[in-house]
Amino acid sequence: MHRDTLPDFDIAYIAGGSPKDLLEHLRESARWPEVLRQWRKGRGLAGSSAGAMNLCTHLLTPEPGARVPTTWTDGIGVIDVFAVAVHASSRPKEWLERIARNAPAPVVALADSAGVILRNGHAPELFGDAWIS
């Protein structure tokens, strides 16, 4: 198999890390458009932390030196009906209020142990400590 060829998969999982670095990587990836095509055909797509944030068309990225994501950025994900704020249970309430006030879409705030399940053609399913701001 050629190294740029996407292997067959049931679920593509996008892990966490730096939301900004992950966004830049996905933008430069030759495989990301194929992942999205396969998702539209019914394959699974999942993410945690920055990976979940990058599944949205709007995501928060930190400014240099910031300890939390602070700036709304255009993403390349498939979710356009809401944006995701992760680790909301360990962030100051003022941070969540500020980002929700400036958000380009409703914000789904996810606690460290919460998640969202998305299925094509179905409403999002929130589980764990999650709420919409």
Side-chain angles (χ1 to χ4, degrees), residues 56-93:
C56 298
T57 59
H58 304 287
L59 70 140
L60 283 169
T61 59
E63 291 298 319
R67 295 182 51 162
V68 295
T70 54
T71 304
W72 288 104
T73 304
D74 289 335
I76 58 171
V78 294
I79 303 166
D80 62 0
V81 295
F82 60 83
V84 176
V86 298
H87 308 297
S89 59
S90 59
R91 309 259 195 232
K93 183 179 178 185

Side-chain angles (χ1 to χ4, degrees), residues 20-39:
K20 189 173 186 177
D21 290 346
L22 182 54
L23 175 61
E24 290 172 7
H25 173 76
L26 291 173
R27 281 186 173 145
E28 296 171 3
S29 172
R31 291 179 171 188
W32 183 241
E34 181 59 23
V35 168
L36 295 179
R37 276 191 290 281
Q38 293 299 324
W39 177 78

